[in-house]
Amino acid sequence: DGGITQSPKYLFRKEGQNVTLSCEQNLNHDAMYWYRQDPGQGLRLIYYSQIVNDFQKGDIAEGYSVSREKKESFPLTVTSAQKNPTAFYLCASKGGSLTTDTQYFGPGTRLTVL
Amino acid sequence: AQRVTQPEKLLSVFKGAPVELKCNYSYSGSPELFWYVQYSRQRLQLLLRHISRESIKGFTADLNKGETSFHLKKPFAQEEDSAMYYCALRGHNAGNMLTFGGGTRLMVKP
């Protein structure tokens, strides 16, 4: 266990506020990902980064933003523009070549908008 | 576009019974398929991948390109198999992203 951590475990936000979720990994992985997990919908990709200082939108990027200033860190900001932000957020990282696909997942952050 | 479908949201079986979690995919090329598992209060983790042709914790999965399926099977379910299972596909698109199915919750009753 360990290697990739997310904080906080639970997060509460008032409507209209931005909030940032932390994701850190010490696995020396180049690629990092943010997913949103909703019941019955599986995991949906929000953003991903294959290398430092570069990131790409996933399938549901609207209302979210990310940065990748360091290899170890890939924070996700949920902005007030996100219409339905209450969800479980998972961060993942992947090492090796692009064709090696074991993604290692963090423990997740549950965001609740009050 | 790539798509993964898990038709059953919930599958309930008795201990010792065979179990099959269904996964169907849509992809025009040759995909790589994976099963991920999330046990209660644990993080999501890789269970097995089709290219390895391995059996993990008694589970196997065969890629059937004709039926575009990758069903997960175990001949005798155990209570500790109760978990959320996700089928995932990696195509050969930009970024080689994984696409996940909606997940199936497996409950193994004593």
Side-chain angles (χ1 to χ4, degrees), chain A residues 1-5 33 35 37 40-43 45 48 50 88 90 98-107, chain B residues 9 32 34 36 38 42-46 49 51 84 86 90-92 94-103:
Chain A
D1 212 12
I4 179 165
T5 58
Y33 310 82
Y35 295 91
Q37 189 178 25
Q41 296 193 56
L43 278 70
L45 183 65
Y48 65 98
Q50 293 179 325
F88 191 61
L90 282 173
L98 287 176
T99 57
T100 303
D101 230 307
T102 298
Q103 290 193 13
Y104 294 87
F105 285 84
Chain B
K9 290 187 177 181
E32 291 186 44
F34 307 82
Y36 279 80
Q38 190 170 28
Q42 293 187 30
R43 60 184 68 192
L44 190 66
Q45 59 188 288
L46 178 68
R49 66 186 77 192
I51 58 174
M84 195 75 184
Y86 292 96
R90 185 179 74 81
H92 301 287
N96 295 280
M97 291 300 104
L98 283 178
T99 297
F100 286 85

Side-chain angles (χ1 to χ4, degrees), chain A residues 76-87:
Chain A
L76 173 74
T77 296
V78 184
T79 75
S80 57
Q82 168 50 232
K83 299 301 181 189
N84 185 22
T86 294

Side-chain angles (χ1 to χ4, degrees), chain A residues 49 53-55 65-70 73-77:
Chain A
S49 168
N53 292 322
D54 184 59
F55 49 83
S65 66
V66 293
S67 63
R68 187 83 188 277
E69 296 176 0
K70 298 187 298 181
S73 179
F74 190 41
L76 173 74
T77 296

Side-chain angles (χ1 to χ4, degrees), chain B residues 61-72:
Chain B
D62 292 318
L63 178 61
N64 186 324
K65 293 186 178 180
E67 296 183 356
T68 61
S69 68
F70 188 57
H71 304 327
L72 184 68

